[in-house]
């Protein structure tokens, strides 16, 4: 059985050390300590330590929003995966569409980061997804296939199983325009089928695939009820404790 994972990606929207503490103190009493749903919070780098000090007493996991693929060296402004590990980071988001589109991250760069994350023992959440024009011109599956080929190049089966994929259609991110549960499910099934061909059936069935893109308290449960959707990566709605708690509790409901 795949345990759904709800990730809160605060981006650069919010998350000074004080804001992070405040948000988590409000969130923790609103969610139950459960083994059925994994919860991950990715604050900005500058709040990781404060966030860790709060979440370490709970089931909430700490995530980083990015990392570099080298462990040490003259890479001004970059963050080593080892620095993240030492302060309690467990998950790392890689290849978010904002990294791909604003900072020109390529599949090849994301592939290097992914391999390094796996090598040092960080759990990667790798984002893939199509632009609106690609969907409208019927190229969604082609784009997804090419991102899977590029981003997961030379990975073995054990490595892919440790990876979480976030399917995030770019047209749905921060736009309020969510993919319907059916649209998301169709692509999640396609991702599993692609992984089955590339790896095998066990890898395709074990890997967790989150949906991301304008998840809200009002649409979360319907998305999470789909058989191939294993939770979500939440941006805007993760900034407020009550809306994030609602989304986490919606995932809990779909288990029972
Ligand atoms: P959103 O962001 O929930 O604000 O659409 C999702 C994401 O970027 O992961």
């Amino acid at each position: 059985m795949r345990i759904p994972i709800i990730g809160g990606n605060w981006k650069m929207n919010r998350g000074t050390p004080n804001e992070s503490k405040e948000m988590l103190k409000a969130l923790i009493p609103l969610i139950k300590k459960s083994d059925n749903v994994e919860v991950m919070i990715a604050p900005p780098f500058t709040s990781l330590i404060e966030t860790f000090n709060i979440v370490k007493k709970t089931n909430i996991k700490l995530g980083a929003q990015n990392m570099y693929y080298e462990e040490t060296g003259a890479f001004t402004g970059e963050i080593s995966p080892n620095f993240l590990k030492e302060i309690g980071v467990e998950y790392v988001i890689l290849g978010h569409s904002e990294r791909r589109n604003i900072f020109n991250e390529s599949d090849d760069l994301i592939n290097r980061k992914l391999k390094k994350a796996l090598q040092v023992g960080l759990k990667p959440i790798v984002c893939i997804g199509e632009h609106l024009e690609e969907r409208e011109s019927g190229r969604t599956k082609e784009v997804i296939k090419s991102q899977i080929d590029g981003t997961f190049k030379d990975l073995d089966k054990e490595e892919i199983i440790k990876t979480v994929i976030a399917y995030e259609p770019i047209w749905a991110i921060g736009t309020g325009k969510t993919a319907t549960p059916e649209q998301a499910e169709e692509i999640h099934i396609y991702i599993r089928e692609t992984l089955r061909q590339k790896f095998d059936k066990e890898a395709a069935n074990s890997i967790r695939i989150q949906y991301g893109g304008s998840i809200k308290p009002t649409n979360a449960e319907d998305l999470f009820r789909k058989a191939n959707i294993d939770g979500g990566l939440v941006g805007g709605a993760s900034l407020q404790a009550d809306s994030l708690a609602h989304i986490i509790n919606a995932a809990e409901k779909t288990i029972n």
Side-chain angles (χ1 to χ4, degrees):
M1 207 196 86
R2 301 185 299 262
I3 297 174
I5 170 165
I6 307 297
N9 174 13
W10 291 354
K11 310 189 181 185
M12 208 181 74
N13 282 321
R14 193 172 175 216
T16 64
N18 282 336
E19 284 170 339
S20 305
K21 271 191 247 171
E22 222 174 85
M23 156 66 183
L24 288 158
K25 285 191 174 150
L27 176 72
I28 291 163
L30 301 178
I31 57 177
K32 55 175 186 178
K33 245 189 172 176
S34 149
D35 292 329
N36 297 330
V37 174
E38 231 182 315
V39 177
M40 184 280 297
I41 299 288
F45 287 124
T46 45
S47 294
L48 284 169
I49 293 176
E50 283 77 7
T51 302
F52 180 70
N53 286 334
I54 297 176
V55 300
K56 68 183 177 195
K57 300 169 211 120
T58 72
N59 277 9
I60 300 172
K61 313 281 174 60
L62 185 61
Q65 298 178 17
N66 188 23
M67 56 165 251
Y68 195 51
Y69 65 80
E70 293 286 359
E71 292 181 42
T72 179
F75 303 106
T76 301
E78 291 296 325
I79 301 283
S80 159
N82 292 338
F83 301 170
L84 298 175
K85 277 212 78 179
E86 191 175 316
I87 59 170
V89 171
E90 195 172 326
Y91 281 94
V92 60
I93 300 171
L94 298 176
H96 189 280
S97 64
E98 286 145 20
R99 302 280 342 153
R100 291 176 185 265
N101 297 325
I102 305 170
F103 302 101
N104 293 322
E105 291 199 7
S106 62
D107 285 337
D108 181 58
L109 178 67
I110 299 158
N111 176 252
R112 286 171 197 238
K113 293 184 178 193
L114 172 58
K115 285 180 187 154
K116 180 54 76 178
L118 289 162
Q119 191 191 325
V120 304
L122 285 170
K123 298 176 183 164
I125 297 178
V126 176
C127 306
I128 55 177
E130 81 287 1
H131 286 277
L132 184 61
E133 333 54 282
E134 292 165 338
R135 172 161 286 263
E136 285 177 342
S137 59
R139 292 174 49 227
T140 300
K141 290 183 179 171
E142 185 191 316
V143 170
I144 294 294
K145 166 90 170 61
S146 138
Q147 288 175 336
I148 290 176
D149 287 344
T151 310
F152 300 133
K153 190 164 164 269
D154 298 330
L155 247 61
D156 62 32
K157 180 180 156 183
E158 279 61 45
E159 291 175 318
I160 194 75
I161 289 175
K162 287 186 197 139
T163 304
V164 174
I165 295 180
Y167 167 57
E168 301 206 299
I170 295 160
W171 48 271
I173 297 179
T175 58
K177 203 174 157 196
T178 321
T180 64
E182 292 68 32
Q183 282 174 321
E185 177 74 349
E186 182 193 358
I187 303 304
H188 284 229
I189 290 170
Y190 177 71
I191 294 169
R192 283 196 206 286
E193 177 53 25
T194 308
L195 295 174
R196 193 187 60 75
Q197 284 169 17
K198 249 183 125 53
F199 299 92
D200 65 9
K201 200 169 158 199
E202 193 200 351
N205 290 339
S206 325
I207 192 165
R208 292 184 293 173
I209 309 177
Q210 301 176 296
Y211 166 78
S214 297
I215 297 183
K216 298 172 242 188
T218 46
N219 59 30
E221 191 177 332
D222 288 342
L223 285 158
F224 301 158
R225 284 212 180 276
K226 288 290 177 193
N228 289 284
I229 299 183
D230 308 312
L233 190 55
V234 188
S238 74
L239 298 170
Q240 302 298 332
D242 52 351
S243 61
L244 182 58
H246 196 291
I247 292 166
I248 294 165
N249 294 331
E252 280 283 343
K253 263 201 235 168
T254 64
I255 302 291
N256 304 317

